[in-house]
Amino acid sequence: MSQGELERSLKKVSEEAEEGLKTIKNLEMLGDWYQAFLGKKSPFNAFFVALKDLSNEDKKEYGPRINTLRNQLEGAYASKKEALEIIALNEKLKDDRIDVTKSFAKKQGTLHPLSQVQRQVEDVFVSMGFEIADGPEVETEWFNFDALNIPGTHPARDMQDTFFVNHKTDNPKKNTVLRTHGTCIDIRKMCEKGAPIRTIAPARVFRNEALDATHDAIFYQVDGCLVDKNISLADLKGALKSVLSAVFERDIKIRVRPGYFPFVEPGLEIDIWWEYIDKNGEAAGRWLEFCGAGMLHPNVLRHCDIDPDEYNGFAFGFGLTRLVMMKYGIEDIRHLFSFKKEFLEQF
Ligand code: DAH
């Protein structure tokens, strides 16, 4: 390459590189540009070969000019690269943006239907001045049975298949059972606080039952009592109707029948009128057992040091699990405790 050709080539490369750079839009194009002007097969190889054949004077001029052009192109490449990288990063950040609130809201769960209905029931009773009480799941035989007017030999103990926790002794205050009902919590509270008292106890209870669509060995009840002066069955009926109307969000018809529970006299069974659409698509209804209840037996009040001549009161106990199943039309109790997301997501 003569000096004249070198002169023209340098100018051409400089112009083409500058023009080329202007059209570059991304790092890939910039890579190609680099290969073309500064890579292994770039025109600079030819420039340095040409330099060797030039006169000493021309070498002094063209040597530094070739180097300067190369440095300029390297510099232009570096700043273009930096600018493109920032653009690429911003693009990526735009796509990758994490909406923290969105993903959080999506994953948020809901209360289990049992907890929802339990809260509704609690709200209604609290509005009527009841306190919410709790007690131990491993209960003494005395609180579970004896204090409730169910002595050791009483056949009523067979009504509730009991899990005994210890080897039975003769002392019911030392024997322990998994509580078979929530009524023992009423008794504990009456013994602790005396009269007057209004208390309810949502309780997990245990019975040695075979598992099927409507029975489980573990289920939930709400038991409660009210002891004061001149209490009547009308008070009980009013309280239960208020709870049912709140849970079902409509007026619910109830029926009272005589029933037997050793700790209440008279003892009652309370049914609710259940309306549904039958197989033929016709409106139908039937009575469903809802609750055991009654006026507290004088012996029970005496066990808690409450004078039955001064005070009287009612007690009731219903299945919370059963209430939830009625409210949502759940046919199999096992769904409630399956913890299947598809099932629970409906509530
Ligand atoms: N504890 C009884 C049961 O689980 C239900 C019951 C009946 C509770 C009458 C009461 C009551 O408080 O007064 O079968």
Side-chain angles (χ1 to χ4, degrees):
M1 200 189 293
S2 69
Q3 179 256 330
E5 280 166 343
L6 181 59
E7 178 66 42
R8 278 193 297 281
S9 280
L10 276 174
K11 207 162 163 240
K12 194 170 162 240
V13 166
S14 169
E15 278 168 12
E16 278 178 4
E18 202 178 317
E19 281 304 304
L21 209 56
K22 281 185 200 156
T23 65
I24 282 171
K25 293 202 178 65
N26 54 43
L27 287 163
E28 202 187 337
M29 287 169 84
L30 185 65
D32 293 343
W33 180 92
Y34 188 90
Q35 283 311 317
F37 295 102
L38 293 160
K40 278 186 194 144
K41 291 177 185 158
S42 79
F44 284 93
N45 296 331
F47 294 161
F48 287 117
V49 171
L51 200 60
K52 278 187 231 152
D53 300 330
L54 295 186
S55 65
N56 279 347
E57 210 170 304
D58 284 345
K59 270 184 191 152
K60 271 191 205 145
E61 188 194 333
Y62 283 96
R65 274 183 60 190
I66 294 169
N67 272 333
T68 306
L69 179 61
R70 199 171 60 171
N71 291 342
Q72 273 172 1
L73 296 189
E74 289 280 4
Y77 167 78
S79 43
K80 188 78 182 174
K81 188 166 174 244
E82 198 182 316
L84 288 174
E85 277 170 354
I86 290 171
I87 291 169
L89 183 66
N90 282 337
E91 286 292 314
K92 198 164 174 256
L93 284 177
K94 225 194 280 169
D95 291 345
D96 282 2
R97 208 180 64 202
I98 298 168
D99 183 344
V100 188
T101 51
K102 195 173 165 197
S103 60
F104 183 69
K106 223 174 157 190
K107 279 192 190 131
Q108 197 172 28
T110 56
L111 284 176
H112 192 280
L114 264 170
S115 307
Q116 291 185 28
V117 176
Q118 180 181 330
R119 285 178 188 204
Q120 284 175 338
V121 170
E122 286 175 356
D123 282 350
V124 180
F125 278 110
V126 166
S127 77
M128 294 189 286
F130 282 71
E131 270 179 44
I132 297 164
D134 199 4
E137 291 182 345
V138 177
E139 184 55 282
T140 63
E141 196 186 1
W142 193 82
F143 273 120
N144 199 80
F145 292 122
D146 298 68
L148 286 166
N149 210 24
I150 319 175
T153 53
H154 203 287
R157 293 207 183 192
D158 298 337
M159 283 158 64
Q160 301 178 352
D161 304 294
T162 312
F163 288 113
F164 279 86
V165 177
N166 67 334
H167 284 295
K168 246 168 112 63
T169 69
D170 290 339
N171 185 349
K173 289 196 171 166
K174 289 222 168 106
N175 292 335
T176 43
V177 299
L178 294 184
R179 68 181 174 206
T180 57
H181 52 184
T183 320
C184 39
I185 306 174
D186 299 344
I187 305 303
R188 276 184 174 271
K189 291 295 144 187
M190 281 196 283
C191 290
E192 204 179 296
K193 299 194 166 164
I197 189 170
R198 297 170 188 209
T199 176
I200 62 151
R204 178 159 58 171
V205 302
F206 307 84
R207 290 187 196 176
N208 191 3
E209 297 254 18
L211 177 69
D212 65 24
T214 52
H215 296 91
D216 199 345
I218 302 175
F219 56 100
Y220 292 79
Q221 289 187 332
V222 175
D223 214 290
C225 68
L226 183 153
V227 179
D228 211 322
K229 290 180 177 165
N230 303 318
I231 299 304
S232 79
L233 285 177
D235 299 314
L236 168 69
K237 215 175 150 187
L240 290 178
K241 275 202 87 155
S242 305
V243 171
L244 288 170
S245 309
V247 170
F248 291 104
E249 292 161 25
R250 67 189 145 94
D251 201 31
I252 293 280
K253 206 157 67 173
I254 64 174
R255 163 174 95 168
V256 178
R257 293 182 285 129
Y260 173 66
F261 302 97
F263 39 95
V264 278
E265 181 57 42
L268 310 170
E269 299 266 7
I270 295 174
D271 301 332
I272 65 181
W273 180 246
W274 192 245
E275 285 166 357
Y276 60 98
I277 304 296
D278 71 10
K279 279 183 208 142
N280 308 322
E282 312 238 330
R286 66 187 155 113
W287 289 105
L288 287 184
E289 243 178 64
F290 164 61
C291 176
M295 300 304 287
L296 281 161
H297 195 288
N299 284 351
V300 173
L301 295 175
R302 270 187 218 108
H303 275 137
C304 301
D305 270 342
I306 296 172
D307 181 359
D309 293 328
E310 197 183 349
Y311 288 103
N312 74 339
F314 64 71
F316 61 86
F318 60 82
L320 183 63
T321 314
R322 196 173 151 77
L323 187 62
V324 172
M325 289 171 75
M326 284 197 266
K327 172 165 176 160
Y328 294 113
I330 299 165
E331 270 153 12
D332 196 321
I333 195 171
R334 288 164 287 199
H335 288 312
L336 277 172
F337 304 105
S338 66
F339 302 109
K340 282 203 187 101
K341 217 172 126 225
E342 297 72 29
F343 173 76
L344 293 170
E345 265 171 356
Q346 301 174 82
F347 302 97

